[in-house]
Amino acid sequence: MNKPSVSIIVPVYNVAPFIERCLKSVMSQTYTGKMECLIVDDCGTDDSISISERMINEFNGDIRFQILHHEQNRGLSAARNTGTNAAISDYLFYLDSDDELTVDCIEKLMKPVQNDPTIEMVMGSYNRFSDSYQLPPLQRILQEKDIVSIEAVRDYYYERNVFSVAAWNKLIKKEFLVQHQLFFKEGLLYEDQLWIFYVVKYLSHLYTMPDITYLHYKRPHSITTGTGKEERAFHYGMIYHEITNNLTVGDRREAKFYVRQFCSRCIKFSPIQSFRQASLPFKKTLLRNHYILEYILLSATLFLSKFALGRSLFLFARKTRRVIRSLFKHLCF
């Protein structure tokens, strides 16, 4: 039986200090099935692509490497979409060019797929590190689960709060992505959050595992962390506006999940008008679906967030809840 093939998609834009680390992790993979790595040149101004070309020329292995060139800079979403459209494999894996894979990442993620080809997504655990500022390493460890229905996947996503919204570190069946047109919206920051909103609407077979398969590096001057507060608020407003217009009719837990997310970010972006405007269609949708408690929560948060004391109380309540939850886990386990 032939092993399923996989395409690793690596968007590249001004990552010269990191691209060698990233590509070395691809070249070191232990998976013995067919693999290709699609490097998408998004027209950066440094020598990231030159480094990539040198590494590919020196590589002596079975992985097929190809560099796809944009004619102008189009952003991360467009680069991922370019790679998705060009991929010829059964499964796709999005790898950010400043991150790296564990040596057995693809081998481990592909193992459940070899036993059950109906699996649409396999998600491993990961470590997060900081390149330039003092943050302790963070581990996100998942339990091993085989989740086999849309309702069960949605339960896991909306109730467990362990499902990373990032597109990276997820092995995804290409047929599933194409069938449901799950491409990334171009021109948008935090595009993963909108993408995963749509993925969860259709995902009917998810497999999660505790194995660390990905090393994520958080940088202070990346696309998202290096962007000003006004612009971030604008993009989040666009995301929530689209989510509001596409909420699943009758699914209260979905509405509750995104109301809570919106309220949390409302405290952060409250003075910024472009973000507050995104609350208007949200409130209308909640009333139209008779989600009165969610409407009251959103309205109260919007009101309190106008005042420094209200924002402080909200942040205190959130920190207190985390402490209580952590203490409860410590006592119970």
Side-chain angles (χ1 to χ4, degrees):
M1 180 179 176
N2 292 331
K3 293 184 176 181
S5 56
V6 59
S7 298
I8 300 174
I9 297 169
V10 186
V12 173
Y13 178 78
N14 288 353
V15 286
F18 316 105
I19 189 62
E20 186 167 349
R21 177 181 70 190
C22 174
L23 294 184
K24 276 184 178 179
S25 76
V26 176
M27 295 173 176
S28 302
Q29 288 303 297
T30 57
Y31 183 63
T32 55
K34 286 186 178 180
M35 290 179 59
E36 68 171 356
C37 180
L38 302 176
I39 298 167
V40 185
D41 172 17
D42 199 30
C43 301
T45 56
D46 67 4
D47 59 347
S48 300
I49 297 301
S50 298
I51 295 171
S52 302
E53 290 172 338
R54 172 182 58 78
M55 293 184 68
I56 292 170
N57 290 334
E58 294 174 353
F59 176 65
N60 182 22
D62 295 329
I63 302 172
R64 171 181 174 265
F65 283 85
Q66 182 180 2
I67 299 178
L68 308 172
H69 298 278
H70 282 173
E71 293 183 0
Q72 60 185 15
N73 176 246
R74 294 169 53 194
L76 179 59
S77 291
R80 284 177 175 165
N81 292 340
T82 295
T84 301
N85 285 321
I88 58 174
S89 301
D90 302 309
Y91 283 81
L92 308 183
F93 186 98
Y94 297 111
L95 168 60
D96 282 1
S97 51
D98 50 358
D99 294 339
E100 61 180 310
L101 309 177
T102 60
V103 67
D104 54 1
C105 169
I106 300 301
E107 181 181 359
K108 285 186 172 178
L109 293 178
M110 292 296 278
K111 190 172 182 179
V113 167
Q114 291 173 245
N115 297 326
D116 187 351
T118 68
I119 294 174
E120 295 163 334
M121 178 185 288
V122 185
M123 186 164 61
S125 303
Y126 68 90
N127 286 341
R128 186 196 71 190
F129 303 93
S130 172
D131 267 352
S132 304
Y133 53 97
Q134 297 302 313
L135 278 178
L138 176 146
Q139 279 194 336
R140 177 60 65 89
I141 305 296
L142 306 174
Q143 293 181 337
E144 186 159 11
K145 286 183 174 293
D146 190 14
I147 307 171
V148 293
S149 73
I150 290 178
E151 280 302 307
V153 170
R154 289 168 74 82
D155 285 343
Y156 183 76
Y157 180 63
Y158 292 123
E159 296 174 14
R160 301 269 177 181
N161 198 31
V162 294
F163 197 140
S164 166
V165 301
W168 43 257
N169 201 29
K170 294 175 173 63
L171 186 74
I172 313 160
K173 200 171 193 175
K174 183 180 180 182
E175 181 184 4
F176 166 73
L177 288 178
V178 174
Q179 178 185 354
H180 299 292
Q181 292 295 290
L182 297 172
F183 295 97
F184 296 87
K185 187 165 184 175
E186 298 188 19
L188 192 66
L189 291 177
Y190 311 108
E191 61 287 320
D192 291 10
Q193 303 206 19
L194 186 58
W195 177 78
I196 205 71
F197 167 74
Y198 287 116
V199 166
V200 171
K201 281 184 177 291
Y202 302 108
L203 190 62
S204 62
H205 197 168
L206 167 69
Y207 195 97
T208 65
M209 59 177 57
D211 306 73
I212 298 291
T213 54
Y214 196 92
L215 307 179
H216 172 57
Y217 294 86
K218 193 171 178 65
R219 296 188 290 122
H221 301 297
S222 64
I223 296 173
T224 52
T225 58
T227 305
K229 191 173 181 179
E230 290 274 352
E231 187 175 356
R232 284 185 285 131
F234 173 77
H235 285 271
Y236 268 125
M238 290 178 62
I239 289 169
Y240 282 107
H241 183 77
E242 182 158 339
I243 287 174
T244 301
N245 290 333
N246 292 279
L247 288 172
T248 305
V249 176
D251 192 339
R252 186 167 199 148
R253 86 206 137 153
E254 181 186 74
K256 181 179 180 180
F257 180 86
Y258 285 104
V259 165
R260 289 173 62 184
Q261 268 196 4
F262 188 94
C263 287
S264 180
R265 293 199 170 96
C266 186
I267 299 299
K268 188 174 184 179
F269 295 122
S270 176
I272 300 174
Q273 191 61 26
S274 62
F275 186 79
R276 295 185 69 86
Q277 286 175 347
S279 68
L280 300 178
F282 220 147
K283 291 168 71 175
K284 289 180 181 178
T285 299
L286 295 174
L287 281 179
R288 185 169 63 248
N289 288 280
H290 307 292
Y291 298 153
I292 304 304
L293 292 177
E294 288 77 13
Y295 176 84
I296 292 172
L297 172 63
L298 179 56
S299 299
T301 304
L302 287 166
F303 176 76
L304 289 173
S305 65
K306 293 180 180 179
F307 310 101
L309 178 60
R311 293 194 291 272
S312 298
L313 287 172
F314 183 92
L315 292 172
F316 175 77
R318 188 168 63 178
K319 288 180 180 178
T320 303
R321 185 180 65 197
R322 288 175 179 170
V323 170
I324 292 173
R325 185 184 299 163
S326 177
L327 181 61
F328 178 77
K329 287 182 178 179
H330 178 74
L331 292 174
C332 291
F333 302 100

